[in-house]
């Protein structure tokens, strides 16, 4: 990390990736790497612009039950884990891509789960993120 970027983060009050990982819960698997986390944040921002994002356990659960496709992004520091521990099982039943982020899931509104839906404006980036997320090692 460059010195200027480190100073900017220190001045802005933002916590580093390593500081955010300290608060993760034990269920966080598969955890997205720092690079993948950054790429997922970009994809989330693009989906917000196109209004193709769903936030919160209730809303994401409805979408999964309807059979819609998307990338499920879980916040790794959510406690108690019972709030969303059923979502990875639902994801595996419907073959959806999902990843846990060590940091909150890139949303202004506090939430523990986000579903990024595909859209033609960012379809190429979305497809790359799906491939990267699906290549993460599965939890045992």
């Amino acid at each position: 990390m460059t010195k200027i970027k480190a100073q900017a983060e220190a001045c802005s009050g933002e916590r580093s990736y390593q500081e955010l990982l300290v608060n993760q819960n034990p269920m966080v698997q598969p955890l997205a790497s720092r690079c993948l986390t950054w790429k997922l944040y970009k994809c989330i921002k693009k989906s917000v612009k196109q209004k193709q994002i769903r936030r919160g356990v209730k809303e994401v659960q409805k979408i999964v039950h309807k059979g819609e496709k998307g990338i499920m992004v879980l916040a790794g520091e959510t406690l108690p884990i019972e709030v969303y521990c059923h979502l990875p099982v639902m994801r595996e039943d419907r073959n959806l891509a999902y990843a846990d982020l060590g940091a909150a899931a890139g949303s202004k509104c506090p939430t523990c789960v986000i579903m990024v839906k595909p859209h033609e404006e960012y379809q190429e980036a979305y497809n790359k993120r799906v491939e990267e997320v699906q290549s993460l090692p599965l939890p045992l």
Side-chain angles (χ1 to χ4, degrees):
M1 181 184 318
T2 64
K3 185 176 180 182
I4 295 171
K5 190 173 179 181
Q7 289 174 342
E9 283 184 5
C11 292
S12 67
E14 292 181 22
R15 297 183 298 171
S16 72
Y17 181 76
Q18 296 301 326
E19 291 172 332
L20 293 170
L21 289 180
V22 172
N23 297 325
Q24 72 183 3
N25 65 47
M27 192 185 102
V28 178
Q29 293 295 328
L31 181 64
S33 66
R34 183 179 188 157
C35 182
L36 180 56
T37 299
W38 180 252
K39 290 175 183 178
L40 283 170
Y41 280 152
K42 287 183 183 179
C43 195
I44 289 168
K45 285 183 180 183
K46 290 177 184 177
S47 68
V48 168
K49 287 181 184 176
Q50 299 300 323
K51 298 186 179 172
Q52 294 297 310
I53 192 165
R54 299 296 175 255
R55 297 178 180 95
V57 175
K58 188 175 180 180
E59 196 170 346
V60 169
Q61 194 170 321
K62 272 193 238 176
I63 287 178
V64 172
H65 279 302
K66 288 180 182 178
E68 294 184 32
K69 296 290 182 187
I71 303 172
M72 189 184 300
V73 181
L74 304 167
E77 74 271 3
T78 302
L79 290 174
I81 59 176
E82 289 81 13
V83 171
Y84 68 47
C85 66
H86 62 285
L87 290 176
V89 175
M90 291 174 62
R91 169 259 169 219
E92 290 168 5
D93 289 344
R94 289 163 179 82
N95 199 23
L96 294 173
Y98 85 106
D100 285 294
L101 299 183
S107 174
K108 288 181 182 176
C109 136
T111 185
C112 62
V113 62
I114 289 177
M115 175 76 88
V116 179
K117 294 171 53 178
H119 191 268
E120 64 266 358
E121 290 291 321
Y122 55 89
Q123 189 67 42
E124 185 177 330
Y126 172 84
N127 291 338
K128 287 180 184 176
R129 297 307 84 82
V130 168
E131 288 175 16
E132 290 174 353
V133 167
Q134 288 178 337
S135 69
L136 290 172
L138 294 174
L140 297 175

